[in-house]
Amino acid sequence: MNFTSTRGQTPALGFSDAVATGLAPDGGLFLPESLPQFSANDLARFAFAPTYADLCADFFKHFATDIDEATLRGIVRKSYTGFAPKDIAPLEQLGENLFVLELFHGPTLAFKDFALQLLGNLYEHQCKLRKQSINVLGATSGDTGAAAIHGLLGKPGVAIFITYPDGRVSPLQERQMACTGAENVYAIAIDGSFDDAQSALKEIFADQAFRTQHRLSAVNSINLARVLAQCVYYLSAWLRLPKDRRNEAEFVVPTGNFGNVLAGWMLQKMGVPIRGFKVATNQNDILHRMFTTGEYRVGSVRPSLAPSMDIQVASNFERFIYYSVGRDPARVRAVMQQFKETGAYRFEHFNPDTFSAARCTDAEIPGIIRTVYQKYGYIADPHTACGFKDLSRDRLSVVLATASPAKFPETIKAAIGIEPTHPSLEVLKGRPVVKHLLPANAAAIRAFIDTHAVQG
Ligand SMILES: *Cc1c(COP(=O)(O)O)cnc(C)c1O
């Protein structure tokens, strides 16, 4: 299968090349040339996969057609060995109409591990095959950086550079990035905001010569492999719901960059009969406004108790736009241009059937954590809590739990008086923090990469 850019000005690439490239050179995002259509028989066959990793391999073989099946299965199996052994994506029932899909049993205790463990192994495979090194660069406001680092740490031929705003990620998140002890990991604390880190990165990636020289790859949520890896937990959950109720299920998805919910929606487009999606945002509500009014308009970011959803522009949204404008790259370019110039875009034929939305302010999050705990005895982290707002009583809801409450001990303690912990986080507290302080500009980061990049 080939992958094309949403902006249509990049030649189609095979799976491995599209994954290694990350952002398409024309500024667009890669998508499958066409989506497979799964029949009822295909879905029944998926149910026979003995483990989560096997299900993931069965799914990926429709896309990663340039990797032989046995190799692919090996890569995928290896990717899920760092998860809690018992159940990789447990589906728990809290009420007659309420399930929680727990996606935080990976090495960094947030759902991003599902995609980034696999992405790390795909990069490694690519490096071996081509006998080439790769340098991975990303900016993070917290969870992505940690998950990316743990997907790549210790891999030969790979170096990873993660920039983050100094003093503005949680102490535990910083420790997950800066206490690994791995030589190929560079945690770069930027003297500036997340937006500063992000724009410095954009500038670096725009420099084709520099990109080529260091074989730079991006690790933010725009990588195609991440979206595909995230489709699998929806499929796994759907297969485990009671057979007679599967088709009524609405997935409630805490989202920021639109990566998480996009994956579910694409799976629905592949023929899996999911009833719909509820987009749950924090007070940074561009997506909530989009799905309630049809207008996508930038606001300004206000730091929240659910920091991994503090975004201004949802970078994955371009993929949604691509499908919404009839898969026409010229129209995508026009929409993105208009958005760049005016900061807004109105969807003409916006169909709210598949999507609903909820928004949760910081004032509401602790109360929701408390109510969920009192009602179900369940501890939801601040991101997951956004998903519990305004739950439908008569519809089957599956709330995606995106992070372990142990990552946000202060907020949980303030809400219910219990301070959750996790052994992997306790270990980090005893290790030295190794971070590199840099000014928030592209030149400084480039110079750092020049001296630390893996060559060859
Ligand atoms: C990243 C993240 C989200 C949002 O995911 P998107 O891909 O931006 O939609 C939600 N919850 C947690 C805990 C996260 O780390």
Side-chain angles (χ1 to χ4, degrees):
M1 174 180 287
N2 276 331
F3 296 83
T4 51
S5 164
T6 47
R7 301 199 189 173
Q9 295 178 322
T10 296
L13 295 178
F15 176 80
S16 299
D17 285 326
V19 169
T21 308
L23 185 70
D26 61 9
L29 309 182
F30 285 109
L31 277 171
E33 218 156 36
S34 65
L35 293 178
Q37 293 301 311
F38 298 128
S39 65
N41 268 342
D42 294 328
L43 294 178
R45 223 170 297 132
F46 278 132
F48 285 114
T51 64
Y52 184 92
D54 285 302
L55 178 66
C56 185
D58 291 347
F59 178 80
F60 261 82
K61 73 180 182 207
H62 295 273
F63 302 92
T65 49
D66 58 352
I67 305 178
D68 74 83
E69 201 179 321
T71 307
L72 178 67
R73 202 163 290 272
I75 292 172
V76 172
R77 284 202 176 132
K78 189 165 136 192
S79 303
Y80 293 98
T81 51
F83 282 63
K86 197 167 83 281
D87 202 344
I88 283 172
L91 183 68
E92 278 199 46
Q93 185 159 18
L94 297 187
E96 196 199 335
N97 285 328
L98 179 60
F99 288 81
V100 179
L101 176 63
E102 288 189 347
L103 302 174
F104 55 76
H105 297 289
T108 70
L109 313 179
F111 89 95
K112 293 187 173 70
D113 289 326
F114 277 86
L116 288 166
Q117 286 290 309
L118 181 58
L119 187 62
N121 289 319
L122 287 168
Y123 279 152
E124 185 182 24
H125 171 71
Q126 180 85 350
C127 288
K128 265 194 219 146
L129 207 66
R130 299 272 157 93
K131 301 193 170 53
Q132 280 181 342
S133 59
I134 191 170
N135 289 288
V136 175
L137 177 60
T140 186
S141 53
D143 288 334
T144 303
I149 284 170
H150 286 262
L152 291 167
L153 73 104
K155 296 214 183 300
V158 181
I160 175 160
F161 302 84
I162 295 292
T163 63
Y164 61 95
D166 192 33
R168 298 195 213 174
V169 302
S170 86
L172 281 175
Q173 284 177 328
E174 179 170 60
R175 286 191 168 275
Q176 285 186 319
M177 295 188 275
C179 300
T180 62
E183 277 180 14
N184 66 336
V185 171
Y186 301 95
I188 302 174
I190 293 290
D191 181 17
S193 69
F194 173 63
D195 283 347
D196 296 335
Q198 187 102 328
S199 45
L201 236 68
K202 277 216 182 100
E203 204 180 316
I204 295 171
F205 275 110
D207 181 345
Q208 288 298 335
F210 190 76
R211 256 177 96 163
T212 313
Q213 181 197 347
H214 290 304
R215 270 186 287 280
L216 273 194
S217 188
V219 78
N220 45 31
S221 59
I222 50 94
N223 198 294
L224 155 87
R226 287 186 63 177
V227 176
L228 294 177
Q230 289 171 191
C231 293
V232 181
Y233 51 70
Y234 287 94
L235 181 57
S236 157
W238 184 85
L239 289 167
R240 289 203 259 176
L241 286 168
K243 270 210 176 74
D244 57 331
R245 302 201 59 196
R246 275 175 186 171
N247 300 3
E248 344 159 7
E250 179 177 74
F251 285 88
V252 184
V253 191
T255 196
N257 258 323
F258 203 68
N260 199 353
V261 65
L262 176 82
W265 182 68
M266 282 180 59
L267 187 72
Q268 186 196 46
K269 287 178 86 67
M270 295 174 209
V272 180
I274 294 168
R275 191 192 171 292
F277 301 91
K278 186 160 141 188
V279 173
T281 73
N282 62 23
Q283 61 198 15
N284 296 295
D285 59 354
I286 180 170
L287 291 171
H288 175 265
R289 284 180 282 122
M290 156 67 212
F291 286 108
T292 46
T293 68
E295 189 183 52
Y296 186 63
R297 175 183 288 279
V298 223
S300 55
V301 174
R302 283 184 298 153
S304 81
L305 292 172
S308 300
M309 304 186 333
D310 289 348
I311 60 95
Q312 190 168 10
V313 177
S315 52
N316 257 298
F317 206 61
E318 184 166 334
R319 289 189 163 107
F320 182 72
I321 291 172
Y322 174 81
Y323 290 111
S324 306
V325 299
R327 308 178 59 212
D328 176 353
R331 289 196 61 195
V332 174
R333 293 198 299 273
V335 171
M336 294 315 288
Q337 189 58 32
Q338 187 195 329
F339 185 66
K340 198 172 157 189
E341 282 162 15
T342 66
Y345 177 73
R346 177 164 282 285
F347 282 75
E348 285 153 42
H349 307 291
F350 173 61
N351 175 3
D353 251 19
T354 305
F355 289 103
S356 61
R359 155 184 54 195
C360 196
T361 65
D362 266 16
E364 295 170 303
I365 288 177
I368 294 177
I369 294 175
R370 201 171 311 124
T371 309
V372 169
Y373 184 61
Q374 284 163 354
K375 211 164 157 187
Y376 307 111
Y378 190 79
I379 303 182
D381 94 283
H383 303 81
T384 307
C386 297
F388 278 94
K389 169 127 189 243
D390 300 336
L391 272 184
S392 158
R393 279 171 201 282
D394 37 44
R395 198 176 272 177
L396 186 70
S397 298
V398 181
V399 177
L400 271 55
T402 51
S404 161
K407 287 190 92 166
F408 305 93
E410 301 85 10
T411 308
I412 305 292
K413 182 146 193 238
I416 59 172
I418 296 170
E419 189 170 324
T421 59
H422 192 280
S424 74
L425 297 175
E426 293 309 306
V427 169
L428 289 178
K429 291 180 187 163
R431 296 215 193 129
V433 174
V434 181
K435 61 176 173 179
H436 306 269
L437 287 158
L438 289 185
N441 64 62
I445 300 168
R446 285 170 56 129
F448 187 88
I449 294 171
D450 272 330
T451 38
H452 295 91
V454 273
Q455 311 291 339

